[in-house]
Amino acid sequence: GSGAAAQTEPDVPPTAKTEEDDKDDKAAQSLLNKLIRSNLVNTTNQVEVLQRDPNSPLYSVKSFEELRLKPQLLQGVYAMGFNRPSKIQETALPMMLAEPPQNLIAQSQSGTGKTAAFVLAMLSHVDPNNKFPQCLCVSPTYELALQTGKVIEQMGKHYPEVQLVYAIRGNKLQRSVKLQEQIVIGTPGTMLDWCLKFKFIDPKKIKVFVLDEADVMIATQGHQDQSIRIQRMLPKNCQMLLFSATFEESVWRFAERIVPDHNIIKLKREEETLDTIKQYYVQCTSKEEKFQALCNIYGAITIAQAMIFCHTRKTAGWLAGELSREGHQVALLSGEMQVEQRAAVIDRFRDGKEKVLVTTNVCARGIDVEQVSVVINFDLPVDKDGNPDNETYLHRIGRTGRFGKRGLAINMVDSKFSMNVLNRIQEHFNKKIEKLDTDDLDEIE
Ligand code: ADP
């Protein structure tokens, strides 16, 4: 049958998403990005800078030397394999390291060097001779805090006098302790307790306050409130820095509330385009037929690596099984996996250990695997009402700007309903999706 109901199998219960789910999704996505990211994201876009004082000169650096970092820190930067500042670091670093300290709201997609930038700023501003907290860094989850902590440790490798401590729920300290560490990194609730209730931290002595992953943070009302309460305890001259990968209106409102007298740096995300993609569709009548068509395609053309998207976990699991039986090396990315497991699967796929990655959309959002030349929509992306999800379609198969290699996208259609979805996607992008006859596949190569 056709209709939205046919697209949603019972393994995805149609429950409303709670605020907590939404935050978990975002946090998991962000963590996954960090775990699988090994280099900077390439950007061709220019940063946009909005200075608080438009008359003050705007500095931008092309090398780390120009920043006059402490030698131990410069050593740390080079030990991490950084040769030159990333696009966002070129302007953000001089601004964050200026005297007097400048406040900053910065937005750029994940992988553009934000974390490295604020870690360097924190390490530069601490006085290692003072054995008390001087920098606070707030993250939405324990796992994300740990990732940032690792960067602090790597970059500060040659600066052992600077120590860090995690303000996270599991970390129970003796009541009367005064912290010796100069950098405290943690989640908003525990951080607030450590400042207010337990007084492990004297907020008046804080010189740098960092709010990381603001878009994930604000997904929870409690986190917003806690962050604001921490911020209010800090001295007037404390440097406030806020980072976010995305900037919806709500993030923006929060940022402006929590960071006074701010400068703004924005780096637009690289646009995705369908211009370098050949799009096809295959007409079938059932999922078995779709599988057969897929086998025909594999028999006819050489596919280095492919990603196959299914609507539900159940279909993804079934398809992965069928493909393995056909002798393919298949990786399956599934919703019930832990973020670390997912990262491991993606890493193996990126290393070419498997040639096919079968996944549902939830798991693979935001993953870009450059060598993937073929994307197969085993099910077309639809939202919960059964309408075409154009954004997801673009995201699955689109390539970024000028670097984009040519790609191939194949859409599997198995009902009137999905044919309609396909037509609407085609109209939306105003780009023809050609019909492919899988019994005669000469045309696609
Ligand atoms: P973001 O916080 O925006 O997600 P990160 O700071 O985590 O970005 O940087 C993304 C990746 O790029 C990390 O692997 C990081 O080590 C690396 N990286 C950051 N800055 C540089 C640089 N200047 N040169 C080379 N690699 C860098």
Side-chain angles (χ1 to χ4, degrees):
S2 56
Q7 287 278 316
T8 312
E9 293 179 29
D11 54 332
V12 195
T15 48
K17 279 219 302 191
T18 64
E19 179 189 68
E20 202 56 27
D21 292 340
D22 184 40
K23 182 213 130 194
D24 288 351
D25 277 3
K26 285 187 172 158
Q29 197 54 50
S30 184
L31 180 62
L32 187 60
N33 261 316
K34 282 183 199 286
L35 293 175
I36 65 179
R37 176 85 54 211
S38 47
N39 333 83
L40 278 171
V41 166
N42 243 325
T43 44
T44 48
N45 291 331
Q46 292 302 315
V47 289
E48 250 180 83
V49 184
L50 241 145
Q51 283 183 282
R52 179 176 56 98
D53 172 8
N55 297 320
S56 76
L58 176 67
Y59 295 106
S60 138
V61 292
K62 294 289 178 195
S63 73
F64 285 108
E65 278 82 9
E66 288 169 73
L67 292 166
R68 318 217 161 282
L69 299 167
K70 294 196 176 77
Q72 305 93 308
L73 289 178
L74 192 60
Q75 239 185 317
V77 167
Y78 287 141
M80 289 180 83
F82 299 1
N83 297 320
R84 42 161 297 163
S86 71
K87 201 65 132 274
I88 189 136
Q89 290 164 1
E90 285 179 0
T91 7
L93 284 171
M95 207 176 255
M96 291 192 291
L97 300 178
E99 276 305 330
Q102 308 252 331
N103 290 351
L104 174 66
I105 297 174
Q107 180 243 326
S108 62
Q109 76 190 81
S110 145
T112 47
K114 298 185 295 298
T115 307
F118 72 70
V119 165
L120 196 53
M122 288 198 293
L123 286 168
S124 296
H125 286 310
V126 294
D127 181 343
N129 300 315
N130 287 339
K131 305 292 177 200
F132 54 77
Q134 299 157 47
C135 301
L136 302 185
C137 175
V138 185
S139 278
T141 66
Y142 165 61
E143 290 81 7
L144 287 167
L146 277 188
Q147 291 303 314
T148 305
K150 281 189 188 154
V151 180
I152 299 175
E153 274 171 4
Q154 279 179 300
M155 206 173 274
K157 196 170 99 186
H158 299 283
Y159 201 12
E161 308 93 290
V162 178
Q163 294 288 311
L164 87 111
V165 61
Y166 293 96
I168 48 180
R169 213 175 321 170
N171 199 359
K172 299 256 184 286
L173 306 181
Q174 296 246 307
R175 268 286 180 164
S176 56
V177 157
K178 282 273 177 252
L179 295 174
Q180 309 262 310
E181 291 85 353
Q182 293 91 345
I183 301 179
V184 188
I185 166 159
T187 45
T190 308
M191 192 76 94
L192 180 63
D193 281 348
W194 283 23
C195 291
L196 195 65
K197 191 162 147 204
F198 302 118
K199 303 200 170 12
F200 298 145
I201 300 168
D202 179 356
K204 288 283 164 260
K205 290 182 175 161
I206 300 302
K207 294 199 277 194
V208 185
F209 176 61
V210 178
L211 230 148
D212 193 18
E213 312 254 359
D215 47 350
V216 183
M217 196 83 84
I218 66 147
T220 329
Q221 185 63 44
H223 277 173
Q224 283 194 47
D225 300 344
Q226 288 154 348
S227 303
I228 286 172
R229 289 180 67 194
I230 298 168
Q231 190 263 9
R232 289 203 184 128
M233 289 188 268
L234 304 173
K236 274 257 159 345
N237 62 355
C238 173
Q239 181 176 40
M240 319 258 173
L241 307 169
L242 179 143
F243 297 85
S244 183
T246 60
F247 244 123
E248 307 94 75
E249 202 37 49
S250 51
V251 181
W252 190 236
R253 278 197 304 271
F254 175 66
E256 295 201 302
R257 252 183 96 191
I258 205 163
V259 185
D261 303 327
H262 45 261
N263 299 280
I264 299 167
I265 299 180
K266 279 194 217 178
L267 180 60
K268 273 218 195 66
R269 119 143 290 105
E270 209 70 23
E271 298 278 344
E272 285 161 328
T273 145
L274 298 179
D275 289 348
T276 53
I277 311 292
K278 286 288 276 180
Q279 301 173 79
Y280 292 99
Y281 76 93
V282 184
Q283 196 152 21
C284 308
T285 54
S286 65
K287 95 179 165 188
E288 287 72 21
E289 231 180 273
K290 291 199 285 188
F291 172 67
Q292 197 47 55
L294 193 56
C295 293
N296 292 352
I297 292 167
Y298 263 99
I301 63 171
T302 328
I303 298 177
Q305 275 196 307
M307 270 173 94
I308 307 181
F309 287 92
C310 300
H311 191 56
T312 66
R313 286 181 201 177
K314 197 171 141 199
T315 311
W318 169 82
L319 183 61
E322 294 295 305
L323 283 166
S324 308
R325 251 189 295 285
E326 288 287 312
H328 293 284
Q329 301 152 277
V330 185
L332 175 64
L333 209 55
S334 178
E336 63 266 12
M337 287 176 169
Q338 294 291 313
V339 173
E340 288 76 10
Q341 283 178 301
R342 289 188 215 174
V345 171
I346 294 165
D347 267 342
R348 285 179 53 85
F349 182 65
R350 283 217 294 215
D351 291 345
K353 296 199 176 90
E354 277 98 17
K355 306 292 180 217
V356 191
L357 179 72
V358 179
T359 179
T360 57
N361 198 48
V362 198
C363 302
R365 206 183 303 134
I367 298 173
D368 40 11
V369 183
E370 270 160 39
Q371 66 270 34
V372 171
S373 52
V374 182
V375 173
I376 294 166
N377 288 320
F378 196 78
D379 297 304
L380 290 166
V382 288
D383 65 19
K384 60 180 190 331
D385 302 319
N387 290 313
D389 184 347
N390 296 313
E391 200 187 325
T392 299
Y393 184 83
L394 178 65
H395 200 68
R396 283 182 187 177
I397 73 171
R399 298 291 146 110
T400 54
R402 282 150 269 192
F403 299 123
K405 297 193 201 114
R406 292 193 68 80
L408 179 64
I410 301 175
N411 298 293
M412 304 271 179
V413 168
D414 62 359
S415 60
K416 274 206 194 106
F417 170 76
S418 54
M419 193 62 223
N420 178 260
V421 169
L422 186 92
N423 285 330
R424 286 163 70 190
I425 290 175
Q426 181 170 255
E427 265 165 45
H428 177 87
F429 292 106
N430 195 21
K431 276 213 72 194
K432 184 127 185 75
I433 306 179
E434 311 266 358
K435 182 165 182 175
L436 189 65
D437 178 0
T438 50
D439 297 322
D440 175 21
L441 282 165
D442 298 338
E443 52 194 303
I444 52 174
E445 241 186 346

